[in-house]
Amino acid sequence: SKSNMSDVEILSSKKRKLSPDADEGGPSSSSAFHHDSSSPSSSTQHATSSSPNTTTPTKLPPRPPNTYDNIRTAIVINNGTRTNLIRLIGLKSLFARQLPKMPKEYIARLVFDRRHKSLAILSSDPEKKDCDDEIIGGICYRAYPEMRFAEIAFCAVSASQQVKGYGTKLMNLLKMHAVTEGIEFFITYADNYAIGYFKKQGFTKAVSMPKGRYQGLIKDYDGGTIMECYVHPTIDFTRVPEMIQAQKEFILQRIRAGTAKSDKVVYPPLPPDFYAGQDVKSRAEKGAAERSLAIPGVSEAGWTMADLMASTRDAKDSDKKKHQLKSDLLALVSKVQDQQYSWCFRDPVDTNEVKDYLDVVGDPIDLKTMEKRIRRGDWYKTKHMLFSDMMKMVNNCKLYNGEGNTYYDCAVSLEKYLASISPMFTE
């Protein structure tokens, strides 16, 4: 609903006063970032080539019109060119106008900093070309390629172009561009005015990125809430509404297919002697499931004994314990990742570079692999199993490297740390 939107659409971080995006619904359709309608990938009809020995598949329906195709965008950097300098001045003016409480010198320093980049949405009006008014909105950010994350500094939309959803479009386009730079996470500090906007764009207050990746690279800001967004490399963020709609249609089709016949059948009431011979007073979970399955129409609707048992209290308690264990294991891995000497254990060893590693280490393991196993949910049955993998990781490092180098020293430090927190693995 647009009735509860703020009149000023100012988005930012780091002590900046921000307003939520005016368009809560997001774009109705989308395409890839910098979509080129002349390229083969943008063809409105896709067909798989056929050979004499194969059947020609059905052609896919044409893709719907794309509102993102009509948006002019540019990645602006301070490389000294006339066009980029004009756009940087426009971005500086936009941020200064929309963020009046921010020092203009600070805005200018970050916008013109060669380590920062800006994604700008440009006006399609030819009369505004090469002037400040050409900039409709922009996001200024700094990428840290070696750590695979970027910090968002400023984000704003021109007051004359608000209530058009440009805030959402800006963020979607930035995510699409981030994938090309290898960015895995966005991180920002948001004040109370901005938290709502960032939540709509997929940001969360629960930072899952290891602290060691961003600590020391970005500053902490009083009064700001640190927020993070994971950028999935295979999702087309400009087509999220279409994707959700397609998933909804698929689920509804499966439901309709499964109930096409059973929902038309009307079963008579249960006879008075239906429970005759059954132990109706038994509270055993299996007995309750058997009684439910005996009701006419239950099995015909597709219910099985396994389904009914899964809905019992014992099954729910078991699931609760599994979720708690998963949460505890992830917390332990995160605790280890935060240690400064764990940097060499966070990712798998690149066997293309260390070609003899597998000749020495028969069962490699690392923190990233452990995290994947935990999220899969069926690998670690106890905390002690995770502790065993961590000790194996330490021993692998010591075995391959030997005494007298940095990696060995890190392994020794991690081993001491694991010994100090070992009681946490037995609770």
Side-chain angles (χ1 to χ4, degrees):
S1 171
K2 296 182 180 178
S3 60
N4 60 350
M5 293 299 140
S6 172
D7 291 334
V8 181
E9 183 176 348
I10 302 174
L11 318 172
S12 169
S13 56
K14 304 179 180 175
K15 288 184 174 180
R16 301 170 178 80
K17 184 173 182 181
L18 304 123
S19 300
D21 181 22
D23 186 356
E24 291 189 6
S28 59
S29 60
S30 48
S31 70
F33 180 63
H34 278 195
H35 188 69
D36 184 358
S37 60
S38 64
S39 65
S41 61
S42 65
S43 173
T44 57
Q45 192 115 350
H46 300 274
T48 306
S49 59
S50 59
S51 64
N53 298 326
T54 59
T55 304
T56 303
T58 305
K59 291 184 178 181
L60 295 175
R63 300 183 99 173
N66 198 316
T67 57
Y68 281 77
D69 286 340
N70 300 322
I71 298 177
R72 290 183 62 228
T73 61
I75 295 296
V76 187
I77 57 175
N78 188 1
N79 59 359
T81 62
R82 179 177 181 276
T83 299
N84 275 354
L85 287 175
I86 291 173
R87 289 172 177 171
L88 286 173
I89 293 172
L91 286 163
K92 176 189 72 72
S93 300
L94 171 66
F95 295 140
R97 235 179 8 253
Q98 301 299 93
L99 309 170
K101 293 187 177 181
M102 287 300 303
K104 294 183 179 179
E105 296 81 7
Y106 179 70
I107 293 175
R109 178 160 61 86
L110 264 62
V111 171
F112 284 93
D113 182 12
R114 294 182 184 273
R115 294 170 297 183
H116 283 71
K117 299 179 182 179
S118 296
L119 170 67
I121 292 183
L122 309 176
S123 172
S124 57
D125 188 349
E127 294 182 0
K128 295 181 179 180
K129 189 175 182 181
D130 294 340
C131 67
D132 286 5
D133 292 338
E134 185 183 20
I135 305 295
I136 292 176
I139 296 180
C140 179
Y141 69 97
R142 179 178 175 181
Y144 296 88
E146 67 281 0
M147 294 298 177
R148 303 194 305 280
F149 82 93
E151 180 189 14
I152 294 177
F154 306 107
C155 181
V157 174
S158 174
S160 63
Q161 297 292 332
Q162 290 176 14
V163 201
K164 297 181 180 179
Y166 279 121
T168 296
K169 291 183 173 75
L170 262 174
M171 191 61 70
N172 287 338
L173 291 168
L174 181 62
K175 290 176 184 177
M176 295 300 297
H177 177 72
V179 174
T180 66
E181 292 191 23
I183 293 173
E184 190 176 18
F185 290 95
F186 277 120
I187 199 165
T188 189
Y189 274 88
D191 62 22
N192 293 333
Y193 294 95
I195 290 174
Y197 164 77
F198 281 113
K199 278 185 176 179
K200 294 174 195 172
Q201 310 310 319
F203 283 73
T204 174
K205 296 179 185 178
V207 178
S208 61
M209 181 170 58
K211 198 172 183 180
R213 282 173 63 174
Y214 64 86
Q215 194 173 31
L217 296 177
I218 65 174
K219 295 180 181 179
D220 293 326
Y221 292 88
D222 296 333
T225 301
I226 189 169
M227 299 187 76
E228 171 200 271
C229 178
Y230 173 65
V231 182
H232 198 289
T234 62
I235 291 180
D236 186 347
F237 290 95
T238 63
R239 288 195 176 274
V240 169
E242 294 177 29
M243 179 177 65
I244 294 175
Q245 183 62 32
Q247 291 173 343
K248 181 179 177 181
E249 294 279 343
F250 175 77
I251 292 172
L252 288 174
Q253 287 177 5
R254 294 297 299 270
I255 292 173
R256 294 187 189 107
T259 60
K261 296 180 180 178
S262 61
D263 65 343
K264 303 292 190 300
V265 179
V266 179
Y267 292 90
L270 297 179
D273 59 346
F274 177 76
Y275 288 108
Q278 298 188 38
D279 185 9
V280 295
K281 294 182 180 180
S282 173
R283 294 189 177 182
E285 304 289 0
K286 186 176 180 181
E290 288 175 346
R291 289 195 298 273
S292 299
L293 196 63
I295 297 174
V298 174
S299 59
E300 288 82 355
W303 287 87
T304 64
M305 179 62 74
D307 295 330
L308 294 170
M309 289 297 294
S311 64
T312 61
R313 184 181 303 171
D314 287 347
K316 291 177 181 178
D317 290 343
S318 176
D319 287 343
K320 188 175 180 180
K321 290 177 182 178
K322 288 180 181 178
H323 287 308
Q324 185 60 48
L325 176 63
K326 182 178 180 180
S327 178
D328 293 344
L329 294 178
L330 288 173
L332 288 168
V333 171
S334 178
K335 206 173 187 65
V336 173
Q337 288 175 330
D338 287 344
Q339 306 308 308
Q340 60 182 5
Y341 38 76
S342 70
W343 59 270
C344 55
F345 300 103
R346 290 171 187 156
D347 294 295
V349 174
D350 188 350
T351 54
N352 292 324
E353 294 183 5
V354 190
K355 298 186 182 299
D356 64 337
Y357 186 76
L358 296 178
D359 297 334
V360 179
V361 177
D363 189 11
I365 189 67
D366 59 274
L367 293 172
K368 192 170 188 177
T369 300
M370 293 181 205
E371 185 176 348
K372 287 181 179 178
R373 289 176 175 179
I374 294 170
R375 293 190 185 281
R376 198 180 306 150
D378 57 355
W379 189 277
Y380 297 110
K381 308 299 182 184
T382 64
K383 295 179 185 178
H384 189 265
M385 291 177 67
L386 177 66
F387 182 78
S388 299
D389 265 1
M390 288 193 174
M391 289 305 301
K392 183 195 300 180
M393 177 178 68
V394 168
N395 293 329
N396 287 347
C397 182
K398 293 167 71 175
L399 174 65
Y400 182 81
N401 294 286
E403 297 185 35
N405 68 32
T406 303
Y407 297 103
Y408 188 91
D409 294 341
C410 287
V412 171
S413 298
L414 182 57
E415 186 175 21
K416 292 179 180 177
Y417 176 72
L418 290 174
S420 70
I421 64 170
S422 59
M424 299 178 67
F425 288 91
T426 57
E427 293 176 355

